[in-house]
Amino acid sequence: MIRIFILLLLVFTTQIFAQIQSQILESYPIGQDFYQDGIAGFYEDFQKVMLDEKITPCENPEEKYTINFIIYPNKEIKYVKDFDTLAIKNNKCAFDNVRKVFPKLKNWKPATYGNATVPALVNIGINPSDVLDYEFKIGNNGKKYFRNKTISEIEYPGGLSTFRKEVGNIFSQVLNSSSKLSKHNYINLKIGFDVDEEGKILNPKIIYSNIEFDKPNQDDFFRRLKNLKKFTPAKKNGKPLKSSFTFPISVTVS
């Protein structure tokens, strides 16, 4: 009886493993990269191929193509058919450049799920003209990162440390004025917002919160947030750009 049970268990486990391998994950698990050295490594190799193969940049530098493809356990890739023919037509140069570069890229990293290496879907938007303007460096944490040489970074009066302090102050004001919020011992949330071409904060939203953040308190916080000083917007070739931010806030209430 024990031998039969072990045999059945072995067969069942083998079937599960085979089933996992045949599945295609809709996206890479959190914390896993689809390319060696992450997105920076991907863009660096993409740029190198464009330069080595002398691929001509698009006449319209705003052209961008979003490609969907599957990375298999053997590191081969297969494109997912794109039915958006209008987007391809409007970004034909970017589409062609991406398709020229991809066969030359070799450092794919298959996804893992449990103890198995599995196929997984990747979706990434690529502006080939922008990629040519990227420069690559190694950060203090030892990881590779990139920045666009033609873009000046967004700035806040007094620096981002001042912005963090001011956001903390207005959140404390909201907290102190709300008996509902102040009863919590610990509050952890992440907010998101845009900064427009004039440096104004727009479209604030709560992305995550470990507590219920009711609408009156949320509206009060967002009103105060939008009344902070203006940013100096990021610029590309001297032209102001719209930017998006995410910002974590953690508060221990004593």
Side-chain angles (χ1 to χ4, degrees):
M1 193 69 178
I2 293 176
R3 290 179 181 176
I4 294 174
F5 176 75
I6 292 174
L7 179 61
L8 288 174
L9 181 62
L10 178 61
V11 172
F12 183 64
T13 303
T14 303
Q15 288 176 339
I16 290 177
F17 183 75
Q19 185 178 12
I20 289 174
Q21 284 192 313
S22 66
Q23 292 177 343
I24 297 176
L25 299 183
E26 292 184 358
S27 62
Y28 264 60
I30 294 174
Q32 294 187 32
D33 294 319
F34 69 90
Y35 204 84
Q36 186 69 38
D37 287 329
I39 190 67
F42 168 77
Y43 281 136
E44 186 173 36
D45 282 2
F46 194 102
Q47 182 190 84
K48 186 177 187 301
V49 172
M50 286 194 71
L51 295 173
D52 289 349
E53 300 296 319
K54 296 180 172 57
I55 297 174
T56 305
C58 298
E59 185 177 344
N60 176 8
E62 300 303 319
E63 279 199 31
K64 179 179 180 179
Y65 180 64
T66 298
I67 186 169
N68 295 278
F69 59 101
I70 299 166
I71 301 177
Y72 287 87
N74 62 359
K75 298 186 180 182
E76 289 185 358
I77 66 167
K78 289 187 179 179
Y79 304 124
V80 176
K81 185 172 179 58
D82 190 344
F83 293 96
D84 192 348
T85 54
L86 181 59
I88 294 175
K89 180 181 178 181
N90 292 338
N91 298 274
K92 186 65 167 59
C93 175
F95 172 85
D96 289 341
N97 283 353
V98 168
R99 286 301 187 98
K100 290 175 185 176
V101 170
F102 259 57
K104 305 287 185 180
L105 301 176
K106 304 300 180 185
N107 294 319
W108 306 109
K109 291 182 66 176
T112 57
Y113 186 80
N115 294 322
T117 304
V118 296
L121 181 67
V122 179
N123 171 291
I124 183 169
I126 303 169
N127 180 325
S129 297
D130 275 354
V131 174
L132 289 175
D133 290 329
Y134 291 164
E135 63 179 1
F136 304 90
K137 297 182 179 181
I138 303 298
N140 294 331
N141 59 0
K143 292 185 177 181
K144 187 174 292 185
Y145 71 96
F146 68 96
R147 62 177 294 273
N148 192 315
K149 294 178 291 186
T150 68
I151 295 179
S152 62
E153 295 185 1
I154 191 169
E155 296 179 356
Y156 189 77
L160 290 180
S161 59
T162 298
F163 177 72
R164 292 190 188 95
K165 182 178 179 180
E166 292 181 1
V167 172
N169 287 340
I170 64 172
F171 186 76
S172 295
Q173 292 168 14
V174 174
L175 183 65
N176 292 333
S177 65
S178 169
S179 57
K180 187 173 182 179
L181 289 179
S182 58
K183 71 179 182 180
H184 294 281
N185 294 325
Y186 176 71
I187 300 174
N188 180 29
L189 70 155
K190 180 185 287 186
I191 63 171
F193 58 88
D194 298 326
V195 176
D196 69 9
E197 294 85 350
E198 296 180 355
K200 298 177 182 176
I201 294 176
L202 301 176
N203 307 318
K205 60 184 176 183
I206 293 179
I207 299 171
Y208 164 81
S209 177
N210 70 324
I211 65 167
E212 183 181 352
F213 213 98
D214 60 23
K215 193 173 187 307
N217 288 318
Q218 182 173 293
D219 289 346
D220 184 22
F221 176 52
F222 288 165
R223 177 185 58 80
R224 295 170 187 262
L225 183 67
K226 288 192 285 187
N227 284 334
L228 290 176
K229 294 186 286 290
K230 287 185 179 181
F231 283 83
T232 299
K235 295 179 181 178
K236 182 176 183 180
N237 294 321
K239 182 181 178 181
L241 298 174
K242 181 179 179 180
S243 305
S244 296
F245 267 90
T246 58
F247 194 82
I249 300 175
S250 297
V251 177
T252 302
V253 181
S254 57

